[in-house]
Amino acid sequence: YYVEIQNRMLYYHTSEEEYDCARIRTLHKFIVSVATQEFLNSGYLGASLRKIAKAAHVTTGAMYGYYKNKEALFNDIVEEVSEEFKNDYLVEGINLETIDYIYQNFEVFKLIICCSKGTRYEEYLDCLVNEKTKQFNEHGFDDKLSHIINHSYLFGVFEIVRHQMTEKQAEDFVSDLQEFYQAGWNKLLERKEI
């Protein structure tokens, strides 16, 4: 992959400076791609910067030129997607666009949900649940009850990643899950109004 990109750049007669910048960007993308596969295969704790460097055909020293440690590399892979999801989820909840976003970034979510033990993302879903619970508590719901319901719902939604469902299966599953939880919330709201 990396050699193919180099050859393409030479063919199109880019300047040396453009070539160097493009080469660095290409190498960075390649390292991220290799690292993603290593984290998916071995988990964060089992992954090794040395293995990633070897698979990316760079020295370990070159790896440290890009990332100060394994955690920085993992964060670089998942941070942007996780932040965007968090912001959308806290405002919009889960909908078809959310499912589409998960599937556009499936490997990243697989890293967060299944391979992040030992990183700050290990508690990612729990943090989202806590934030969502605060929103529900503003409407007078019992803290423990809303936490348990939000927890079981969000963790249920992310079973689509754990079980590697197709996007269509995920849409059907989440639709059923939403219907189930909505009926429960409606019942709680009825009791609250009485």
Side-chain angles (χ1 to χ4, degrees):
Y1 171 77
Y2 179 58
V3 172
E4 180 185 323
I5 298 299
Q6 280 182 317
N7 290 337
R8 264 195 236 150
M9 284 187 274
L10 290 173
Y11 176 78
Y12 290 110
H13 307 289
T14 57
S15 72
E16 195 172 324
E17 185 178 316
E18 290 172 328
Y19 174 78
D20 286 343
C21 289
R23 186 177 60 79
I24 290 167
R25 280 193 308 274
T26 301
L27 180 57
H28 178 257
K29 285 181 183 178
F30 187 62
I31 290 170
V32 166
S33 175
V34 168
T36 299
Q37 292 311 306
E38 173 67 13
F39 288 130
L40 286 170
N41 293 334
S42 304
Y44 174 79
L45 293 176
S48 155
L49 276 183
R50 191 166 289 134
K51 274 185 177 175
I52 294 167
K54 184 176 179 181
H57 308 290
V58 297
T59 65
T60 307
M63 284 292 295
Y64 284 108
Y66 284 97
Y67 300 101
K68 68 178 183 175
N69 55 34
K70 181 170 68 169
E71 182 179 14
L73 175 55
F74 189 88
N75 291 347
D76 185 48
I77 296 169
V78 302
E79 189 167 37
E80 184 178 329
V81 169
S82 68
E83 282 301 308
E84 188 170 334
F85 180 83
K86 175 185 170 187
N87 295 334
D88 288 349
Y89 171 68
L90 293 176
V91 173
E92 302 290 331
I94 302 291
N95 54 44
L96 288 177
E97 289 81 21
T98 310
I99 302 304
D100 186 51
Y101 186 75
I102 290 170
Y103 278 82
Q104 288 173 19
N105 299 283
F106 196 82
E107 285 187 338
V108 172
F109 283 104
K110 186 86 173 171
L111 288 174
I112 294 168
I113 303 307
C114 303
C115 306
S116 63
K117 186 173 175 125
T119 74
R120 66 184 173 145
Y121 293 95
E122 181 177 3
E123 305 294 328
Y124 178 73
L125 291 182
D126 288 306
C127 291
L128 291 179
V129 166
N130 291 337
E131 291 294 318
K132 199 66 161 174
T133 298
K134 288 177 191 173
Q135 291 176 346
F136 278 84
N137 292 349
E138 291 171 5
H139 299 288
F141 284 99
D142 177 72
D143 183 47
K144 288 181 181 139
L145 179 62
S146 61
H147 176 84
I148 290 167
I149 293 170
N150 282 307
H151 184 276
S152 63
Y153 175 67
L154 188 61
F155 276 73
V157 166
F158 274 96
E159 288 298 302
I160 66 177
V161 173
R162 279 191 175 82
H163 294 283
Q164 300 189 97
M165 294 181 187
T166 66
E167 189 167 356
K168 175 67 174 124
Q169 289 172 325
E171 288 170 358
D172 293 343
F173 174 79
V174 170
S175 177
D176 289 345
L177 201 60
Q178 287 175 324
E179 192 173 322
F180 174 81
Y181 278 92
Q182 189 60 52
W185 279 117
N186 289 343
K187 193 70 171 168
L188 288 173
L189 287 170
E190 282 175 21
R191 278 199 298 177
K192 199 170 172 121
E193 290 173 4
I194 296 176

